Amino acid sequence: MKFFDKNIVVTQDIYDTHILNKSNWFGDVPPFTNLEINICGICNRKCFFCPKADHKLFPNKKEYMSLEFYGALLKDLASVKFKGRLSFCGLSEPLLHKKLLDLVKMTKRYCPGCFLDILTNGDFSTVENTRALFEAGLDNMKVSMYDGPEQIPHFKKIQKECGLSEEQFVIRERYLSAEQNFGLTINNRGGSVNLEQYKIVPLKEPLKRSCYYPFHKMIIDYNGDVMICPCDWEKKLVVGNLQKNNIFEIWNSDAMKEVRLRLINEDRNGVPCSQCDIEGTLYAKLHFEAWKEYYGM
């Protein structure tokens, strides 16, 4: 039986609620509802389905997003009273950032109405640091268990002692069989994963299919680089850098428009989309339709 991530339903509700409220728009520009923020360059694991497993191509770098840089981004978001989602995840293990608690506190100081979550492998999660993060304003933590069911008691203990609900502290079974997609909505990460035995390989021909990712989110790397999609591990398309332009200029830039127009026409020939196998349309259809209208299509 194929795996279905229940978080998709929750995400759909968050996205629809955000875009339907026109006060969240940037004037007449449809908003991003999720910014995935990669706050460091290091992960302690080498999961076989993750590009980070190949440290020659994706080496660990002990480099971290600075509080000053993150504060500048938050000031821009505060200027529009951002109430979407900020996620510390992608390309690294966020609990390895030594100033993580400060990042959480800053987020809620500048953008108290946003939804802040952390995606982690849980290897560094304790009752003490989990409680501190939630007291600082964290809304949600998703823990991915890769080893096996023997991990469950540890995380259940953290959840209980911190007084968190299953919706706040989500324990995810990422150790399932290949028949269950390993407990993941799995994909080839923009063509950067090649596992022939599991039929997870770069595509030879682009899919003729839309993808909603560039219509509702962007990925911000710790050095300020902005990508259109969490699948672009190789950073084949960097659409801007927050050291040079603000987030709103990048969001409505010509580079983003070019990508969106292709995807509206079900054209995945450009990078990084050409080798990517992600479904890409599981949620955020309202964002997709809003951008079509904005472009007069």
Side-chain angles (χ1 to χ4, degrees), residues 255-290:
M256 292 294 293
K257 181 177 181 180
E258 181 180 344
V259 172
R260 293 187 187 114
L261 291 180
R262 282 205 315 267
L263 293 174
I264 286 172
N265 291 305
E266 299 185 346
D267 177 2
R268 291 197 184 188
N269 280 288
V271 295
C273 310
S274 59
Q275 293 185 311
C276 184
D277 68 351
I278 198 166
E279 167 66 32
T281 58
L282 296 177
Y283 51 84
K285 185 174 178 59
L286 294 182
H287 292 70
F288 179 74
E289 296 297 336

Side-chain angles (χ1 to χ4, degrees), residues 78-202:
S79 71
V80 295
K81 296 182 172 59
F82 180 68
K83 294 183 176 65
R85 188 174 195 162
L86 296 178
S87 303
F88 294 160
C89 65
L91 318 183
S92 66
E93 168 50 50
L95 265 66
L96 288 173
H97 196 298
K98 296 178 181 179
K99 298 290 185 178
L100 179 59
L101 187 61
D102 292 320
L103 295 175
V104 172
K105 290 177 179 178
M106 290 172 62
T107 303
K108 286 300 180 169
R109 183 165 72 248
Y110 284 101
C111 299
C114 79
F115 185 91
L116 177 61
D117 62 358
I118 291 175
L119 278 67
T120 174
N121 59 38
D123 290 350
F124 303 97
S125 297
T126 65
V127 171
E128 291 73 24
N129 64 20
T130 300
R131 180 182 291 122
L133 288 168
F134 276 90
E135 288 178 349
L138 184 66
D139 294 293
N140 178 270
M141 180 177 284
K142 296 179 181 67
V143 179
S144 296
M145 298 183 299
Y146 296 115
D147 297 338
E150 67 273 10
Q151 293 181 280
I152 294 176
H154 170 68
F155 293 117
K156 283 290 186 182
K157 180 176 183 287
I158 292 175
Q159 182 188 68
K160 182 178 180 180
E161 293 197 18
C162 291
L164 301 172
S165 69
E166 293 183 356
E167 288 72 31
Q168 291 174 296
F169 191 85
V170 183
I171 303 172
R172 307 194 293 183
E173 299 173 336
R174 296 313 201 213
Y175 51 77
L176 301 180
S177 66
E179 290 71 26
Q180 295 175 292
N181 289 74
F182 312 103
L184 294 159
T185 306
I186 201 162
N187 64 81
N188 68 10
R189 309 295 178 98
S192 58
V193 173
N194 192 345
L195 297 169
E196 292 186 5
Q197 66 271 39
Y198 299 118
K199 298 181 180 180
I200 306 170
V201 296

